[in-house]
Structures are given as structure tokens and as C-alpha cells.
Amino acid sequence: MAGTEDWPGQQPELDEDEATYCRRWGAQHAGARELAALYSPGKRFQEWCCVVLCFSLVAYNLVHLLLLARWEHTPLVMLGVVAGALIADFLSGLVHWGADTWGSVELPIVGKAFIRPFREHHIDPTAITRHDFIETNGDNCLVTLLPLLHMAYTFRTQSPEALEQLYPWECFIFCLIIFCTFTNQIHKWSHTYFGLPRWVTLLQDWHVILPRWLNYPLEKVGFWRRLEDLIQGLTGEKPRADDMKWAQKIK
């Protein structure tokens, strides 16, 4: 759950001509304007549906977890919170690295819907601060729908005795879902330099949100570089080629 500047993976090396093309970052960059224009009413509708469904299921599952809570669950629940945060940190980094490094906006379905925001963000890093709650969190809510539905189904179909045994595991899954759901919101806050609520700035100052928990060990062992080399060797695709194409647009 690190900031844009701290997301894993190598940055592309620019020659002199590429650097000239890429100097005009921001909302007025030609690539940024074109990418922003690809945000469609259909995409907006999908995000609204996902946000409403996601938070309805979060509320449903939270109520059941609270009703089943026991003091003796506390140690395992606390462990689940920490594990959920760490795994969400890795998964969000993996997804961000993958969307940053591979794929194209021209890909059917996923290109305009899911890769486009990553390309826009690299050209216009503050664009995310102009996105409302729905646009910021819609895709993350989509990703978490299946595990939330499975959890709700478990609460509806399992016996009280079975739920007692499953409780620590369900708490872990719930925490993992919550952290994954809000990674984009936390990312947005990292680029919002004015007007944040005091409780958000306190969490940032205390490194509760946006810490680089797993960046150091993964970078230390060359995890991202080795993974890029492996994929490039298998597919022949050059990392961040599509990213550079959009950055070089000048009109």
C-alpha cells in the first residue's frame, strides 16, 4: 500500500527525445486528456453497482462477525488483522506492478476499464485526487465481491458450531477484503496534499496507512526485477512499453 513513487518495479530509462516528450506532465498532457476521455458512462455504471453491492455485503458480514465475537477469539483476530494488512500490501503491489508494467489500453474489456487508470495516473499523478469516491474505489469493490459473497453464503448456511470454528479465519478474510477495498482510497490520500481530515493525516504520520511494509525485502531480493525478466523472457514483451507510448503523446 505504498504511494505511486514507491510502487514496485523499475522505472523506464529515457533517452533525450523521450525525456523531452515526457516533461509536460499533468492534466494538460495530450495522453492524459485522451485517457481521461475514455472514462465512459458504462464504466461509471459498473463502478456504482460494485460500490453499492460491496458495501452492502461488508455491512452484512460485519454484523454477523460482531454477533459471533467472543473474547477468546481476540489473539487470533489480532493476528488476522496483521496478516490481512501484510497480504493486502503484497497483493495490491502485485496488481499495481502488473497493470503498470504489462498490458495495453487497447486490450478488449480490461484495457479501457482497468489498465487505463494506471496509464493516466503516471502522466497526471494528481488526476486521482479529482476522482470522486465511486471512481476511486469502484474497481477495488469489484475485485472483493466474490469473497464477500462467499462469506455471506457461509454465514447463511453454516451451523453455529461450524461458524465458531471458522470465526478466526473469517475475520482474517474480512480484514484482507477491507484493506484491499481501500488501497486506492489510501493511494488517493497520498496525493492529496491539502484538506485531508485530521484522522487521515494522523494515520499517515503514524505509518498506519501507506507504509512500505514489504517493499524493502522484495526489492532486496530483486523480486520484481526477476519477475519482469522472467515474463519478458517467456513472452518477448517489453516492460512498460504501453506506458511509454502514452507518456510520449504530444498532441
Side-chain angles (χ1 to χ4, degrees):
M1 289 180 280
T4 314
E5 299 75 21
D6 300 321
W7 282 103
Q10 301 169 328
Q11 295 301 313
E13 295 182 3
L14 309 182
D15 60 30
E16 185 176 348
D17 290 336
E18 290 173 332
T20 300
Y21 285 133
C22 297
R23 284 187 187 122
R24 298 176 182 175
W25 305 112
Q28 299 309 310
H29 187 285
R33 294 198 305 270
E34 187 175 341
L35 286 164
L38 294 176
Y39 183 66
S40 67
K43 173 65 175 172
R44 179 71 174 182
F45 178 72
Q46 170 250 305
E47 290 172 344
W48 260 107
C49 292
C50 291
V51 169
V52 171
L53 284 171
C54 174
F55 282 91
S56 298
L57 288 166
V58 165
Y60 178 87
N61 290 325
L62 178 60
V63 167
H64 282 78
L65 287 173
L66 292 175
L67 291 173
L68 291 168
R70 302 288 185 273
W71 282 111
E72 54 268 27
H73 293 143
T74 302
L76 288 177
V77 170
M78 296 302 296
L79 181 62
V81 171
V82 174
L86 288 173
I87 295 175
D89 186 48
F90 174 75
L91 292 177
S92 61
L94 184 65
V95 169
H96 203 120
W97 166 82
D100 279 350
T101 310
W102 310 104
S104 166
V105 175
E106 283 74 32
L107 285 173
I109 303 176
V110 298
K112 291 180 181 179
F114 302 109
I115 295 178
R116 178 198 64 83
F118 291 91
R119 301 295 178 266
E120 180 188 19
H121 182 64
H122 288 170
I123 304 170
D124 182 11
T126 61
I128 193 172
T129 67
R130 301 189 295 275
H131 297 169
D132 64 5
F133 186 86
I134 301 298
E135 186 173 356
T136 300
N137 299 289
D139 289 341
N140 287 44
C141 288
L142 171 63
V143 170
T144 58
L145 283 180
L146 281 179
L148 282 169
L149 284 167
H150 182 268
M151 182 178 290
Y153 177 78
T154 299
F155 286 133
R156 290 283 296 175
T157 59
Q158 294 294 323
S159 67
E161 293 76 17
L163 290 175
E164 176 75 17
Q165 296 296 319
L166 289 170
Y167 187 81
W169 171 255
E170 296 299 335
C171 284
F172 159 69
I173 295 297
F174 186 79
C175 291
L176 176 60
I177 289 170
I178 293 298
F179 284 122
C180 287
T181 299
F182 286 103
T183 51
N184 268 2
Q185 185 64 50
I186 294 169
H187 192 184
K188 176 181 176 178
W189 287 333
S190 74
H191 288 278
T192 305
Y193 304 110
F194 305 100
L196 285 175
R198 179 59 177 160
W199 65 271
V200 173
T201 59
L202 285 174
L203 290 176
Q204 290 175 333
D205 291 342
W206 295 339
H207 302 287
V208 175
I209 58 176
L210 220 69
R212 292 174 286 177
W213 290 320
L214 295 179
N215 281 21
Y216 178 77
L218 292 176
E219 293 286 357
K220 191 70 175 177
V221 300
F223 177 82
W224 305 109
R225 176 179 54 78
R226 294 173 189 274
L227 192 54
E228 285 180 11
D229 291 344
L230 175 62
I231 293 173
Q232 186 174 7
L234 292 173
T235 66
E237 294 292 326
K238 183 180 179 181
R240 286 168 291 279
D242 188 63
D243 210 21
M244 185 56 64
K245 181 190 76 173
W246 289 97
Q248 290 177 350
K249 285 181 177 285
I250 58 175
K251 63 180 180 177

